[in-house]
Amino acid sequence: MSIAKLVPAWLHGVGDYGAGIALIVVALIVGGTDKAVLTGVVLGAVLLAVSVVTRYPLGAWKLVPSPVHSAGDYLGALLLILAPFVLDFTDSDGGLAAFYIVVGAVVLLLSLVTDYQDPRITVGETTHDRQEPALDGAGRRPASVRSRAGR
């Protein structure tokens, strides 16, 4: 996962969303060959989608645990760095190629220094878990909740 815990998970989330949006927007604004533009749009969209479902403070649906997200970051960073060479658009789209390599390096570095053990995230926590009402003294749900469930 991380080699140092310097960046809190919420700030990592800000970086994820920022990188995802930047990849899409820059690719569409700068333009270029289909391969170059599609690389930014697809990898940016995947980064945003994974961020939305990650179990960290900025995840909307906390489904993906941090270790899985972290592995995805490493894979995404590798893809960003290698894509210009593998898809052969370093000469035709040098600006986008350089941008993807830099964003890939930043994603890699951010992942290496993120503290994924955010105290606001508990093991097994989901959005549904946090919305469950407390039990009364007899170990039952409050009467108002029981009456809604029986409808």
Side-chain angles (χ1 to χ4, degrees):
M1 282 193 33
S2 301
I3 59 172
K5 296 179 179 190
L6 305 173
V7 175
W10 69 266
L11 187 54
H12 179 103
V14 170
D16 283 342
Y17 286 106
I21 291 168
L23 285 167
I24 294 168
V25 170
V26 169
L28 293 174
I29 289 175
V30 170
T33 62
D34 289 345
K35 292 186 287 188
V37 173
L38 200 56
T39 297
V41 171
V42 169
L43 291 177
V46 168
L47 180 55
L48 290 174
V50 169
S51 298
V52 167
V53 296
T54 294
R55 190 180 302 144
Y56 64 3
L58 296 182
W61 297 284
K62 300 179 185 320
L63 305 172
V64 175
S66 294
V68 174
H69 176 97
S70 178
D73 279 347
Y74 294 127
L75 176 62
L78 183 64
L79 291 173
L80 279 167
I81 293 167
L82 293 178
F85 305 101
V86 172
L87 299 175
D88 194 30
F89 60 83
T90 53
D91 292 332
S92 60
D93 299 286
L96 276 180
F99 179 70
Y100 296 158
I101 292 167
V102 168
V103 172
V106 170
V107 167
L108 176 65
L109 291 173
L110 183 61
S111 295
L112 287 171
V113 297
T114 295
D115 180 5
Y116 289 102
Q117 303 305 314
D118 192 299
R120 293 172 289 176
I121 305 169
T122 60
V123 175
E125 176 188 73
T126 66
T127 305
H128 175 70
D129 293 338
R130 287 183 280 128
Q131 294 175 353
E132 288 293 318
L135 301 177
D136 65 10
R140 298 181 314 227
R141 299 200 192 290
S144 62
V145 174
R146 286 194 311 262
S147 65
R148 282 185 295 195
R151 291 182 194 173

